[in-house]
Amino acid sequence: MHLVRNGFFQLTDSTAKHRASHAALLAIMSLVNGAHADYPFAHTVVSFTAGSGAATGFNLPAVALGPPERFTGEGISPMCVTPFSPAYRPNEIVSLGVGGELVLRFDHDVLDDPRNPFGIDLIVFGNAFFTDATGTGMVAGLAAEGGVIAVSLDGIAWTSVPLTVADGLFPTRGYMDVLPYATQPGTIETNFLRPVNPALSMRDLSGLDYESCVALYDGSGGGAGIDLAALGLPRIRFVRISNSVIGSSPEIDAVSDVEAITRSPDLDGDGVVGASDLARVLGAWGTMNAEADLDFDGVIGAGDLSMLLGAWGTKGGA
C-alpha cells in the first residue's frame, strides 16, 4: 500500500524500489558524513495522471522512486536488465499513456555541477531497449516511446528539456558482467549515478555487437542525461514527465542525481598538498590543463587555487 500524506505519495517499505539495502546505505553515508545524506534518486511522487492507452496494470507511480531495476521478471521469466532486455513488470515501471503525466520530487536540490561527468546533472530511466539484429546482442535499432521532460525548482515554474526524451537513449544496463539475455544476476553493478556520454547517438551504436555497445557505456547504467546549465538553471528539485503523442505510452523506471567527479589537489601524488602542487596550478594558470582543473570549470584560475590552498598540508583526498 502506498500512503498518501499532504497530497504526496510517500516512499514506503512496500514500494518495490525502497529496499532495505538502500536504507542501510543511506544510514552508513549519514554516519560517515556526520549529517543527513541526500538520497540520489527521486524520493516523492507529487502527482500522477494515467493517460489513455497506458499499459494495463502499470499504474503505480511509486515504482518510479528509488533506483532503476537491475533484474526483472522474477517468478515469470527472470532476466538481467540490459540494453536489450528492459524492466517490464508492473511493480518496476509506470506507464503514462496519451495525456499522462508523472511529477517526482527529490529530497534535495539537484545542482548544476561542473564536476559532473559530461556536465550531466540528472538522469531519467525508461524501459527502452535496442532491437537485436542477430539474437546475440547486435544493435539494429531502438524501441523507444519518448516522453517530454520538464524540470522545476519549486514545482510551479517549469522548464522543458529539448532534444532529450524520457524513454529513449540510453537503455538501462544493470550489471557490467552479464551477456545481453542473462537469466542470473551479475556480480558487478553499473553506476546509476553516472551518465553515458551524451555525444553518442544511434549512428554511433547501430551495428555494434554487445561487447562494443556496452563498452561505450563506460560503467554507466544508462538513461537520458540532462545538463541543467544548458537550460540556464543552477538547480532543480522537481521532474515532470508527460506524453501527448498518440499511439505512444512512455514507461518510467527512475530518475537520479548525477554523482560528481572529485579530483585531489595532491597533483604530484606525493601524499601531501604543498608547494609542488601550488607550482603546478600556477604554471597552468589561464590554460585548460585538465589535470590542474580542480573545480572543473574548464580553465585554471582562482577557483582551483582556492581549493588547493584549502587543502594545504593535508593528504588532499578526493
PDB file of all heavy atoms in Angstrom, residues 2 11-23 39 41-42 60-71 87 89-94 125-126 252-255:
ATOM      1  N   HIS A   2       0.546   2.212  -0.825  1.00  0.00           N
ATOM      2  CA  HIS A   2       1.301   3.453  -0.894  1.00  0.00           C
ATOM      3  C   HIS A   2       0.544   4.528  -0.117  1.00  0.00           C
ATOM      4  O   HIS A   2      -0.577   4.885  -0.450  1.00  0.00           O
ATOM      5  CB  HIS A   2       1.489   3.887  -2.346  1.00  0.00           C
ATOM      6  CG  HIS A   2       2.150   2.833  -3.158  1.00  0.00           C
ATOM      7  ND1 HIS A   2       3.422   2.399  -2.891  1.00  0.00           N
ATOM      8  CD2 HIS A   2       1.708   2.104  -4.205  1.00  0.00           C
ATOM      9  CE1 HIS A   2       3.746   1.456  -3.753  1.00  0.00           C
ATOM     10  NE2 HIS A   2       2.730   1.262  -4.545  1.00  0.00           N
ATOM     11  N   LEU A  11       7.287   7.432  -0.091  1.00  0.00           N
ATOM     12  CA  LEU A  11       8.046   6.207  -0.298  1.00  0.00           C
ATOM     13  C   LEU A  11       7.909   5.346   0.946  1.00  0.00           C
ATOM     14  O   LEU A  11       8.247   5.763   2.045  1.00  0.00           O
ATOM     15  CB  LEU A  11       9.519   6.551  -0.534  1.00  0.00           C
ATOM     16  CG  LEU A  11      10.478   5.406  -0.822  1.00  0.00           C
ATOM     17  CD1 LEU A  11      10.079   4.721  -2.120  1.00  0.00           C
ATOM     18  CD2 LEU A  11      11.901   5.933  -0.925  1.00  0.00           C
ATOM     19  N   THR A  12       7.381   4.139   0.808  1.00  0.00           N
ATOM     20  CA  THR A  12       7.153   3.263   1.946  1.00  0.00           C
ATOM     21  C   THR A  12       7.887   1.954   1.757  1.00  0.00           C
ATOM     22  O   THR A  12       8.395   1.642   0.690  1.00  0.00           O
ATOM     23  CB  THR A  12       5.649   2.960   2.107  1.00  0.00           C
ATOM     24  OG1 THR A  12       5.248   2.120   1.031  1.00  0.00           O
ATOM     25  CG2 THR A  12       4.830   4.237   2.098  1.00  0.00           C
ATOM     26  N   ASP A  13       7.917   1.144   2.819  1.00  0.00           N
ATOM     27  CA  ASP A  13       8.614  -0.132   2.753  1.00  0.00           C
ATOM     28  C   ASP A  13       7.974  -1.077   1.755  1.00  0.00           C
ATOM     29  O   ASP A  13       8.608  -2.022   1.301  1.00  0.00           O
ATOM     30  CB  ASP A  13       8.636  -0.796   4.133  1.00  0.00           C
ATOM     31  CG  ASP A  13       9.566  -0.074   5.094  1.00  0.00           C
ATOM     32  OD1 ASP A  13      10.461   0.635   4.597  1.00  0.00           O
ATOM     33  OD2 ASP A  13       9.402  -0.216   6.307  1.00  0.00           O
ATOM     34  N   SER A  14       6.703  -0.846   1.422  1.00  0.00           N
ATOM     35  CA  SER A  14       6.037  -1.732   0.474  1.00  0.00           C
ATOM     36  C   SER A  14       6.373  -1.387  -0.965  1.00  0.00           C
ATOM     37  O   SER A  14       6.079  -2.148  -1.863  1.00  0.00           O
ATOM     38  CB  SER A  14       4.519  -1.657   0.668  1.00  0.00           C
ATOM     39  OG  SER A  14       4.061  -0.350   0.399  1.00  0.00           O
ATOM     40  N   THR A  15       6.985  -0.233  -1.188  1.00  0.00           N
ATOM     41  CA  THR A  15       7.383   0.139  -2.540  1.00  0.00           C
ATOM     42  C   THR A  15       8.521  -0.752  -2.996  1.00  0.00           C
ATOM     43  O   THR A  15       9.490  -0.951  -2.277  1.00  0.00           O
ATOM     44  CB  THR A  15       7.846   1.606  -2.574  1.00  0.00           C
ATOM     45  OG1 THR A  15       6.769   2.417  -2.118  1.00  0.00           O
ATOM     46  CG2 THR A  15       8.216   2.014  -3.989  1.00  0.00           C
ATOM     47  N   ALA A  16       8.402  -1.287  -4.200  1.00  0.00           N
ATOM     48  CA  ALA A  16       9.395  -2.253  -4.682  1.00  0.00           C
ATOM     49  C   ALA A  16      10.798  -1.688  -4.669  1.00  0.00           C
ATOM     50  O   ALA A  16      11.768  -2.402  -4.445  1.00  0.00           O
ATOM     51  CB  ALA A  16       9.020  -2.706  -6.099  1.00  0.00           C
ATOM     52  N   LYS A  17      10.928  -0.366  -4.924  1.00  0.00           N
ATOM     53  CA  LYS A  17      12.252   0.215  -5.033  1.00  0.00           C
ATOM     54  C   LYS A  17      12.905   0.505  -3.683  1.00  0.00           C
ATOM     55  O   LYS A  17      14.091   0.760  -3.609  1.00  0.00           O
ATOM     56  CB  LYS A  17      12.169   1.523  -5.830  1.00  0.00           C
ATOM     57  CG  LYS A  17      11.662   1.361  -7.238  1.00  0.00           C
ATOM     58  CD  LYS A  17      12.608   0.530  -8.064  1.00  0.00           C
ATOM     59  CE  LYS A  17      12.151   0.424  -9.481  1.00  0.00           C
ATOM     60  NZ  LYS A  17      12.110   1.695 -10.156  1.00  0.00           N
ATOM     61  N   HIS A  18      12.108   0.574  -2.611  1.00  0.00           N
ATOM     62  CA  HIS A  18      12.648   1.008  -1.321  1.00  0.00           C
ATOM     63  C   HIS A  18      13.120  -0.206  -0.551  1.00  0.00           C
ATOM     64  O   HIS A  18      12.478  -0.672   0.372  1.00  0.00           O
ATOM     65  CB  HIS A  18      11.565   1.760  -0.553  1.00  0.00           C
ATOM     66  CG  HIS A  18      12.086   2.435   0.687  1.00  0.00           C
ATOM     67  ND1 HIS A  18      13.184   3.244   0.693  1.00  0.00           N
ATOM     68  CD2 HIS A  18      11.638   2.409   1.963  1.00  0.00           C
ATOM     69  CE1 HIS A  18      13.390   3.698   1.903  1.00  0.00           C
ATOM     70  NE2 HIS A  18      12.469   3.198   2.694  1.00  0.00           N
ATOM     71  N   ARG A  19      14.244  -0.734  -0.955  1.00  0.00           N
ATOM     72  CA  ARG A  19      14.748  -1.954  -0.349  1.00  0.00           C
ATOM     73  C   ARG A  19      15.607  -1.628   0.864  1.00  0.00           C
ATOM     74  O   ARG A  19      16.197  -0.561   0.981  1.00  0.00           O
ATOM     75  CB  ARG A  19      15.560  -2.745  -1.367  1.00  0.00           C
ATOM     76  CG  ARG A  19      14.737  -3.157  -2.584  1.00  0.00           C
ATOM     77  CD  ARG A  19      15.549  -4.075  -3.467  1.00  0.00           C
ATOM     78  NE  ARG A  19      14.761  -4.501  -4.607  1.00  0.00           N
ATOM     79  CZ  ARG A  19      14.794  -3.918  -5.787  1.00  0.00           C
ATOM     80  NH1 ARG A  19      15.567  -2.874  -5.983  1.00  0.00           N
ATOM     81  NH2 ARG A  19      14.062  -4.367  -6.772  1.00  0.00           N
ATOM     82  N   ALA A  20      15.715  -2.595   1.749  1.00  0.00           N
ATOM     83  CA  ALA A  20      16.469  -2.384   2.984  1.00  0.00           C
ATOM     84  C   ALA A  20      17.922  -2.042   2.708  1.00  0.00           C
ATOM     85  O   ALA A  20      18.547  -1.278   3.445  1.00  0.00           O
ATOM     86  CB  ALA A  20      16.390  -3.637   3.858  1.00  0.00           C
ATOM     87  N   SER A  21      18.478  -2.587   1.633  1.00  0.00           N
ATOM     88  CA  SER A  21      19.886  -2.322   1.336  1.00  0.00           C
ATOM     89  C   SER A  21      20.138  -0.851   1.083  1.00  0.00           C
ATOM     90  O   SER A  21      21.173  -0.306   1.481  1.00  0.00           O
ATOM     91  CB  SER A  21      20.333  -3.138   0.122  1.00  0.00           C
ATOM     92  OG  SER A  21      19.566  -2.815  -1.004  1.00  0.00           O
ATOM     93  N   HIS A  22      19.194  -0.184   0.425  1.00  0.00           N
ATOM     94  CA  HIS A  22      19.371   1.238   0.137  1.00  0.00           C
ATOM     95  C   HIS A  22      19.207   2.071   1.402  1.00  0.00           C
ATOM     96  O   HIS A  22      19.906   3.062   1.604  1.00  0.00           O
ATOM     97  CB  HIS A  22      18.382   1.679  -0.938  1.00  0.00           C
ATOM     98  CG  HIS A  22      18.607   0.986  -2.243  1.00  0.00           C
ATOM     99  ND1 HIS A  22      19.722   1.201  -3.012  1.00  0.00           N
ATOM    100  CD2 HIS A  22      17.878   0.044  -2.891  1.00  0.00           C
ATOM    101  CE1 HIS A  22      19.668   0.440  -4.084  1.00  0.00           C
ATOM    102  NE2 HIS A  22      18.563  -0.274  -4.024  1.00  0.00           N
ATOM    103  N   ALA A  23      18.294   1.656   2.276  1.00  0.00           N
ATOM    104  CA  ALA A  23      18.137   2.362   3.542  1.00  0.00           C
ATOM    105  C   ALA A  23      19.404   2.229   4.379  1.00  0.00           C
ATOM    106  O   ALA A  23      19.865   3.186   5.007  1.00  0.00           O
ATOM    107  CB  ALA A  23      16.935   1.806   4.305  1.00  0.00           C
ATOM    108  N   TYR A  39      19.446  11.546  -0.713  1.00  0.00           N
ATOM    109  CA  TYR A  39      19.099  10.332  -1.439  1.00  0.00           C
ATOM    110  C   TYR A  39      19.228  10.645  -2.925  1.00  0.00           C
ATOM    111  O   TYR A  39      18.595  11.585  -3.419  1.00  0.00           O
ATOM    112  CB  TYR A  39      17.669   9.942  -1.081  1.00  0.00           C
ATOM    113  CG  TYR A  39      17.237   8.589  -1.575  1.00  0.00           C
ATOM    114  CD1 TYR A  39      17.948   7.445  -1.252  1.00  0.00           C
ATOM    115  CD2 TYR A  39      16.092   8.456  -2.359  1.00  0.00           C
ATOM    116  CE1 TYR A  39      17.534   6.198  -1.689  1.00  0.00           C
ATOM    117  CE2 TYR A  39      15.670   7.210  -2.798  1.00  0.00           C
ATOM    118  CZ  TYR A  39      16.396   6.085  -2.459  1.00  0.00           C
ATOM    119  OH  TYR A  39      15.981   4.852  -2.898  1.00  0.00           O
ATOM    120  N   PHE A  41      18.124   9.429  -5.636  1.00  0.00           N
ATOM    121  CA  PHE A  41      17.020   9.125  -6.546  1.00  0.00           C
ATOM    122  C   PHE A  41      15.766   9.881  -6.103  1.00  0.00           C
ATOM    123  O   PHE A  41      15.707  10.408  -4.995  1.00  0.00           O
ATOM    124  CB  PHE A  41      16.751   7.619  -6.558  1.00  0.00           C
ATOM    125  CG  PHE A  41      17.957   6.796  -6.914  1.00  0.00           C
ATOM    126  CD1 PHE A  41      18.722   6.193  -5.931  1.00  0.00           C
ATOM    127  CD2 PHE A  41      18.350   6.652  -8.236  1.00  0.00           C
ATOM    128  CE1 PHE A  41      19.848   5.453  -6.250  1.00  0.00           C
ATOM    129  CE2 PHE A  41      19.478   5.917  -8.571  1.00  0.00           C
ATOM    130  CZ  PHE A  41      20.230   5.314  -7.581  1.00  0.00           C
ATOM    131  N   ALA A  42      14.777   9.935  -6.993  1.00  0.00           N
ATOM    132  CA  ALA A  42      13.524  10.603  -6.632  1.00  0.00           C
ATOM    133  C   ALA A  42      12.962   9.999  -5.350  1.00  0.00           C
ATOM    134  O   ALA A  42      12.972   8.780  -5.161  1.00  0.00           O
ATOM    135  CB  ALA A  42      12.519  10.475  -7.768  1.00  0.00           C
ATOM    136  N   LEU A  60       1.225   2.284 -10.963  1.00  0.00           N
ATOM    137  CA  LEU A  60       1.720   2.554  -9.617  1.00  0.00           C
ATOM    138  C   LEU A  60       2.883   3.538  -9.706  1.00  0.00           C
ATOM    139  O   LEU A  60       4.022   3.139  -9.970  1.00  0.00           O
ATOM    140  CB  LEU A  60       2.179   1.259  -8.940  1.00  0.00           C
ATOM    141  CG  LEU A  60       1.125   0.166  -8.782  1.00  0.00           C
ATOM    142  CD1 LEU A  60       1.761  -1.092  -8.203  1.00  0.00           C
ATOM    143  CD2 LEU A  60      -0.017   0.656  -7.900  1.00  0.00           C
ATOM    144  N   PRO A  61       2.640   4.820  -9.499  1.00  0.00           N
ATOM    145  CA  PRO A  61       3.706   5.813  -9.701  1.00  0.00           C
ATOM    146  C   PRO A  61       4.876   5.661  -8.745  1.00  0.00           C
ATOM    147  O   PRO A  61       5.994   6.057  -9.068  1.00  0.00           O
ATOM    148  CB  PRO A  61       2.987   7.147  -9.487  1.00  0.00           C
ATOM    149  CG  PRO A  61       1.817   6.816  -8.615  1.00  0.00           C
ATOM    150  CD  PRO A  61       1.372   5.450  -9.062  1.00  0.00           C
ATOM    151  N   ALA A  62       4.639   5.077  -7.559  1.00  0.00           N
ATOM    152  CA  ALA A  62       5.716   4.952  -6.576  1.00  0.00           C
ATOM    153  C   ALA A  62       6.828   4.018  -7.029  1.00  0.00           C
ATOM    154  O   ALA A  62       7.915   4.027  -6.443  1.00  0.00           O
ATOM    155  CB  ALA A  62       5.157   4.485  -5.232  1.00  0.00           C
ATOM    156  N   VAL A  63       6.594   3.219  -8.077  1.00  0.00           N
ATOM    157  CA  VAL A  63       7.679   2.361  -8.557  1.00  0.00           C
ATOM    158  C   VAL A  63       8.772   3.185  -9.234  1.00  0.00           C
ATOM    159  O   VAL A  63       9.878   2.681  -9.472  1.00  0.00           O
ATOM    160  CB  VAL A  63       7.169   1.266  -9.524  1.00  0.00           C
ATOM    161  CG1 VAL A  63       6.138   0.390  -8.846  1.00  0.00           C
ATOM    162  CG2 VAL A  63       6.623   1.862 -10.813  1.00  0.00           C
ATOM    163  N   ALA A  64       8.481   4.452  -9.548  1.00  0.00           N
ATOM    164  CA  ALA A  64       9.495   5.330 -10.148  1.00  0.00           C
ATOM    165  C   ALA A  64      10.390   5.969  -9.094  1.00  0.00           C
ATOM    166  O   ALA A  64      11.285   6.745  -9.433  1.00  0.00           O
ATOM    167  CB  ALA A  64       8.828   6.417 -10.985  1.00  0.00           C
ATOM    168  N   LEU A  65      10.150   5.662  -7.821  1.00  0.00           N
ATOM    169  CA  LEU A  65      11.013   6.153  -6.750  1.00  0.00           C
ATOM    170  C   LEU A  65      12.166   5.177  -6.536  1.00  0.00           C
ATOM    171  O   LEU A  65      12.043   3.986  -6.791  1.00  0.00           O
ATOM    172  CB  LEU A  65      10.215   6.297  -5.456  1.00  0.00           C
ATOM    173  CG  LEU A  65       8.976   7.198  -5.532  1.00  0.00           C
ATOM    174  CD1 LEU A  65       8.224   7.176  -4.211  1.00  0.00           C
ATOM    175  CD2 LEU A  65       9.362   8.619  -5.914  1.00  0.00           C
ATOM    176  N   GLY A  66      13.270   5.686  -6.047  1.00  0.00           N
ATOM    177  CA  GLY A  66      14.416   4.826  -5.815  1.00  0.00           C
ATOM    178  C   GLY A  66      15.150   4.500  -7.102  1.00  0.00           C
ATOM    179  O   GLY A  66      14.881   5.081  -8.153  1.00  0.00           O
ATOM    180  N   PRO A  67      16.083   3.558  -7.041  1.00  0.00           N
ATOM    181  CA  PRO A  67      16.934   3.257  -8.203  1.00  0.00           C
ATOM    182  C   PRO A  67      16.216   2.456  -9.272  1.00  0.00           C
ATOM    183  O   PRO A  67      15.192   1.818  -9.010  1.00  0.00           O
ATOM    184  CB  PRO A  67      18.072   2.434  -7.588  1.00  0.00           C
ATOM    185  CG  PRO A  67      17.441   1.772  -6.406  1.00  0.00           C
ATOM    186  CD  PRO A  67      16.476   2.784  -5.847  1.00  0.00           C
ATOM    187  N   PRO A  68      16.747   2.456 -10.484  1.00  0.00           N
ATOM    188  CA  PRO A  68      16.191   1.619 -11.551  1.00  0.00           C
ATOM    189  C   PRO A  68      16.374   0.135 -11.234  1.00  0.00           C
ATOM    190  O   PRO A  68      17.167  -0.240 -10.373  1.00  0.00           O
ATOM    191  CB  PRO A  68      17.015   2.013 -12.786  1.00  0.00           C
ATOM    192  CG  PRO A  68      17.668   3.302 -12.433  1.00  0.00           C
ATOM    193  CD  PRO A  68      17.868   3.278 -10.954  1.00  0.00           C
ATOM    194  N   GLU A  69      15.662  -0.690 -11.970  1.00  0.00           N
ATOM    195  CA  GLU A  69      15.770  -2.134 -11.796  1.00  0.00           C
ATOM    196  C   GLU A  69      17.068  -2.669 -12.402  1.00  0.00           C
ATOM    197  O   GLU A  69      17.502  -2.208 -13.453  1.00  0.00           O
ATOM    198  CB  GLU A  69      14.590  -2.837 -12.470  1.00  0.00           C
ATOM    199  CG  GLU A  69      13.248  -2.536 -11.834  1.00  0.00           C
ATOM    200  CD  GLU A  69      13.159  -3.022 -10.403  1.00  0.00           C
ATOM    201  OE1 GLU A  69      13.688  -4.112 -10.110  1.00  0.00           O
ATOM    202  OE2 GLU A  69      12.572  -2.310  -9.582  1.00  0.00           O
ATOM    203  N   ARG A  70      17.639  -3.651 -11.737  1.00  0.00           N
ATOM    204  CA  ARG A  70      18.789  -4.369 -12.292  1.00  0.00           C
ATOM    205  C   ARG A  70      18.389  -5.765 -12.781  1.00  0.00           C
ATOM    206  O   ARG A  70      19.044  -6.329 -13.654  1.00  0.00           O
ATOM    207  CB  ARG A  70      19.894  -4.506 -11.241  1.00  0.00           C
ATOM    208  CG  ARG A  70      20.481  -3.178 -10.796  1.00  0.00           C
ATOM    209  CD  ARG A  70      21.691  -3.392  -9.896  1.00  0.00           C
ATOM    210  NE  ARG A  70      22.147  -2.134  -9.325  1.00  0.00           N
ATOM    211  CZ  ARG A  70      22.966  -1.278  -9.929  1.00  0.00           C
ATOM    212  NH1 ARG A  70      23.428  -1.570 -11.141  1.00  0.00           N
ATOM    213  NH2 ARG A  70      23.336  -0.155  -9.349  1.00  0.00           N
ATOM    214  N   PHE A  71      17.320  -6.298 -12.209  1.00  0.00           N
ATOM    215  CA  PHE A  71      16.881  -7.652 -12.553  1.00  0.00           C
ATOM    216  C   PHE A  71      15.363  -7.643 -12.631  1.00  0.00           C
ATOM    217  O   PHE A  71      14.695  -7.050 -11.784  1.00  0.00           O
ATOM    218  CB  PHE A  71      17.361  -8.645 -11.491  1.00  0.00           C
ATOM    219  CG  PHE A  71      17.325 -10.077 -11.934  1.00  0.00           C
ATOM    220  CD1 PHE A  71      18.335 -10.594 -12.730  1.00  0.00           C
ATOM    221  CD2 PHE A  71      16.281 -10.910 -11.566  1.00  0.00           C
ATOM    222  CE1 PHE A  71      18.308 -11.918 -13.150  1.00  0.00           C
ATOM    223  CE2 PHE A  71      16.244 -12.233 -11.975  1.00  0.00           C
ATOM    224  CZ  PHE A  71      17.262 -12.744 -12.771  1.00  0.00           C
ATOM    225  N   ALA A  87      13.416  -3.690 -18.009  1.00  0.00           N
ATOM    226  CA  ALA A  87      12.444  -3.985 -16.955  1.00  0.00           C
ATOM    227  C   ALA A  87      11.049  -3.974 -17.576  1.00  0.00           C
ATOM    228  O   ALA A  87      10.746  -3.133 -18.420  1.00  0.00           O
ATOM    229  CB  ALA A  87      12.542  -2.946 -15.847  1.00  0.00           C
ATOM    230  N   ARG A  89       7.924  -5.393 -15.583  1.00  0.00           N
ATOM    231  CA  ARG A  89       6.831  -5.777 -14.696  1.00  0.00           C
ATOM    232  C   ARG A  89       6.126  -4.556 -14.099  1.00  0.00           C
ATOM    233  O   ARG A  89       6.719  -3.477 -13.972  1.00  0.00           O
ATOM    234  CB  ARG A  89       7.349  -6.681 -13.582  1.00  0.00           C
ATOM    235  CG  ARG A  89       7.949  -7.984 -14.102  1.00  0.00           C
ATOM    236  CD  ARG A  89       8.063  -9.013 -13.010  1.00  0.00           C
ATOM    237  NE  ARG A  89       6.741  -9.404 -12.518  1.00  0.00           N
ATOM    238  CZ  ARG A  89       6.547 -10.145 -11.426  1.00  0.00           C
ATOM    239  NH1 ARG A  89       7.579 -10.555 -10.717  1.00  0.00           N
ATOM    240  NH2 ARG A  89       5.330 -10.464 -11.045  1.00  0.00           N
ATOM    241  N   PRO A  90       4.840  -4.707 -13.698  1.00  0.00           N
ATOM    242  CA  PRO A  90       4.070  -3.572 -13.170  1.00  0.00           C
ATOM    243  C   PRO A  90       4.620  -2.978 -11.880  1.00  0.00           C
ATOM    244  O   PRO A  90       4.317  -1.828 -11.567  1.00  0.00           O
ATOM    245  CB  PRO A  90       2.674  -4.175 -12.932  1.00  0.00           C
ATOM    246  CG  PRO A  90       2.607  -5.362 -13.814  1.00  0.00           C
ATOM    247  CD  PRO A  90       3.997  -5.912 -13.864  1.00  0.00           C
ATOM    248  N   ASN A  91       5.398  -3.755 -11.126  1.00  0.00           N
ATOM    249  CA  ASN A  91       5.987  -3.215  -9.900  1.00  0.00           C
ATOM    250  C   ASN A  91       7.372  -2.630 -10.141  1.00  0.00           C
ATOM    251  O   ASN A  91       8.117  -2.365  -9.198  1.00  0.00           O
ATOM    252  CB  ASN A  91       6.061  -4.293  -8.812  1.00  0.00           C
ATOM    253  CG  ASN A  91       6.993  -5.438  -9.182  1.00  0.00           C
ATOM    254  OD1 ASN A  91       7.289  -5.650 -10.361  1.00  0.00           O
ATOM    255  ND2 ASN A  91       7.446  -6.182  -8.184  1.00  0.00           N
ATOM    256  N   GLU A  92       7.707  -2.404 -11.427  1.00  0.00           N
ATOM    257  CA  GLU A  92       9.020  -1.871 -11.778  1.00  0.00           C
ATOM    258  C   GLU A  92       8.953  -0.586 -12.595  1.00  0.00           C
ATOM    259  O   GLU A  92       9.838   0.267 -12.482  1.00  0.00           O
ATOM    260  CB  GLU A  92       9.804  -2.924 -12.574  1.00  0.00           C
ATOM    261  CG  GLU A  92      10.063  -4.202 -11.790  1.00  0.00           C
ATOM    262  CD  GLU A  92      10.602  -5.328 -12.647  1.00  0.00           C
ATOM    263  OE1 GLU A  92      10.492  -5.249 -13.896  1.00  0.00           O
ATOM    264  OE2 GLU A  92      11.133  -6.296 -12.078  1.00  0.00           O
ATOM    265  N   ILE A  93       7.935  -0.452 -13.427  1.00  0.00           N
ATOM    266  CA  ILE A  93       7.803   0.720 -14.291  1.00  0.00           C
ATOM    267  C   ILE A  93       6.361   1.212 -14.267  1.00  0.00           C
ATOM    268  O   ILE A  93       5.430   0.445 -14.010  1.00  0.00           O
ATOM    269  CB  ILE A  93       8.217   0.410 -15.746  1.00  0.00           C
ATOM    270  CG1 ILE A  93       7.448  -0.807 -16.278  1.00  0.00           C
ATOM    271  CG2 ILE A  93       9.722   0.191 -15.841  1.00  0.00           C
ATOM    272  CD1 ILE A  93       7.719  -1.127 -17.732  1.00  0.00           C
ATOM    273  N   VAL A  94       6.188   2.506 -14.530  1.00  0.00           N
ATOM    274  CA  VAL A  94       4.855   3.096 -14.601  1.00  0.00           C
ATOM    275  C   VAL A  94       4.632   3.612 -16.017  1.00  0.00           C
ATOM    276  O   VAL A  94       5.534   4.191 -16.632  1.00  0.00           O
ATOM    277  CB  VAL A  94       4.684   4.223 -13.560  1.00  0.00           C
ATOM    278  CG1 VAL A  94       5.713   5.327 -13.742  1.00  0.00           C
ATOM    279  CG2 VAL A  94       3.273   4.795 -13.606  1.00  0.00           C
ATOM    280  N   PHE A 125      15.389   7.353 -16.383  1.00  0.00           N
ATOM    281  CA  PHE A 125      15.436   5.973 -16.863  1.00  0.00           C
ATOM    282  C   PHE A 125      14.050   5.512 -17.297  1.00  0.00           C
ATOM    283  O   PHE A 125      13.089   5.584 -16.524  1.00  0.00           O
ATOM    284  CB  PHE A 125      15.941   5.038 -15.757  1.00  0.00           C
ATOM    285  CG  PHE A 125      17.346   5.325 -15.305  1.00  0.00           C
ATOM    286  CD1 PHE A 125      17.594   6.281 -14.325  1.00  0.00           C
ATOM    287  CD2 PHE A 125      18.423   4.647 -15.851  1.00  0.00           C
ATOM    288  CE1 PHE A 125      18.883   6.552 -13.898  1.00  0.00           C
ATOM    289  CE2 PHE A 125      19.722   4.905 -15.439  1.00  0.00           C
ATOM    290  CZ  PHE A 125      19.954   5.865 -14.462  1.00  0.00           C
ATOM    291  N   GLY A 126      13.946   5.027 -18.534  1.00  0.00           N
ATOM    292  CA  GLY A 126      12.704   4.446 -19.023  1.00  0.00           C
ATOM    293  C   GLY A 126      12.862   2.945 -19.183  1.00  0.00           C
ATOM    294  O   GLY A 126      13.634   2.311 -18.461  1.00  0.00           O
ATOM    295  N   ILE A 252       8.291   4.719 -17.248  1.00  0.00           N
ATOM    296  CA  ILE A 252       9.339   5.348 -16.449  1.00  0.00           C
ATOM    297  C   ILE A 252       9.735   4.426 -15.304  1.00  0.00           C
ATOM    298  O   ILE A 252       8.890   3.864 -14.614  1.00  0.00           O
ATOM    299  CB  ILE A 252       8.865   6.710 -15.893  1.00  0.00           C
ATOM    300  CG1 ILE A 252       8.406   7.616 -17.036  1.00  0.00           C
ATOM    301  CG2 ILE A 252       9.977   7.369 -15.081  1.00  0.00           C
ATOM    302  CD1 ILE A 252       9.453   7.861 -18.104  1.00  0.00           C
ATOM    303  N   ASP A 253      11.042   4.307 -15.115  1.00  0.00           N
ATOM    304  CA  ASP A 253      11.592   3.446 -14.069  1.00  0.00           C
ATOM    305  C   ASP A 253      12.130   4.261 -12.894  1.00  0.00           C
ATOM    306  O   ASP A 253      11.894   3.923 -11.737  1.00  0.00           O
ATOM    307  CB  ASP A 253      12.708   2.591 -14.672  1.00  0.00           C
ATOM    308  CG  ASP A 253      13.167   1.464 -13.759  1.00  0.00           C
ATOM    309  OD1 ASP A 253      12.870   1.504 -12.556  1.00  0.00           O
ATOM    310  OD2 ASP A 253      13.832   0.541 -14.249  1.00  0.00           O
ATOM    311  N   ALA A 254      12.872   5.339 -13.180  1.00  0.00           N
ATOM    312  CA  ALA A 254      13.520   6.081 -12.098  1.00  0.00           C
ATOM    313  C   ALA A 254      14.133   7.368 -12.635  1.00  0.00           C
ATOM    314  O   ALA A 254      14.243   7.568 -13.852  1.00  0.00           O
ATOM    315  CB  ALA A 254      14.616   5.228 -11.448  1.00  0.00           C
ATOM    316  N   VAL A 255      14.540   8.249 -11.716  1.00  0.00           N
ATOM    317  CA  VAL A 255      15.370   9.406 -12.044  1.00  0.00           C
ATOM    318  C   VAL A 255      16.464   9.502 -10.990  1.00  0.00           C
ATOM    319  O   VAL A 255      16.264   9.121  -9.831  1.00  0.00           O
ATOM    320  CB  VAL A 255      14.565  10.729 -12.103  1.00  0.00           C
ATOM    321  CG1 VAL A 255      13.527  10.675 -13.205  1.00  0.00           C
ATOM    322  CG2 VAL A 255      13.902  11.028 -10.773  1.00  0.00           C
TER     323      VAL A 255
END
